[in-house]
Amino acid sequence: MPIMDNVASFIQKFISKNQISMAKFQKMADVSHNTIYAYRRGEGNPTIAMLEFIAGNLGVDPVLIILGVYDPDSKQVSMLVPDTVQSVAQLPHEEQVRFMHLLTAEIMKLWDTQ
């Protein structure tokens, strides 16, 4: 699913689960009316900085916006790891190895910064 479809999905889920209007969401996100409506339609081209700004205003992790996940009860988020493992298992062997190299490199970066 393209990232903008995920952003649109996140917005819809956030609005629905919090039972708020689109106008209230726009105010909470502190982004212009036109921008939020474009994102909700899966349009626009937000930068990572913009998604981080919106996430900060909403009190969520920006990764959730990029993934199209809004799950305050953590039911959907908790399935991301097993779903990822299942998806990686379906890749050709060379791509599985590449994925593991990239994942390991990122984990090492995280450990090095602590």
Side-chain angles (χ1 to χ4, degrees):
M1 180 180 286
I3 290 176
M4 284 313 300
D5 289 346
N6 290 350
V7 172
S9 178
F10 171 85
I11 292 170
Q12 188 57 41
K13 289 173 185 173
F14 190 95
I15 288 170
S16 177
K17 289 196 182 208
N18 289 292
Q19 299 179 349
I20 60 173
S21 67
M22 190 64 180
K24 172 80 173 174
F25 179 84
Q26 179 259 318
K27 288 179 185 174
M28 290 174 68
D30 193 23
V31 177
S32 78
H33 170 87
N34 290 341
T35 298
I36 288 297
Y37 274 86
Y39 294 171
R40 188 175 184 194
R41 289 188 310 271
E43 299 170 356
N45 190 20
T47 63
I48 294 297
M50 174 59 84
L51 295 177
E52 288 175 333
F53 175 77
I54 292 170
N57 291 338
L58 299 175
V60 301
D61 190 315
V63 170
L64 299 179
I65 297 175
I66 293 168
L67 294 175
V69 174
Y70 178 67
D71 187 18
D73 300 326
S74 298
K75 293 176 184 168
Q76 189 176 0
V77 173
S78 64
M79 293 306 297
L80 289 175
V81 171
D83 288 349
T84 301
V85 170
Q86 184 178 20
S87 296
V88 170
Q90 295 174 4
L91 293 172
H93 179 74
E94 298 80 25
E95 291 298 312
Q96 290 176 7
V97 170
R98 181 171 174 261
F99 175 86
M100 290 309 301
H101 283 283
L102 292 170
L103 178 62
T104 303
E106 290 304 312
I107 290 171
M108 296 304 290
K109 286 180 193 175
L110 289 172
W111 286 342
D112 288 341
T113 61
Q114 294 181 1

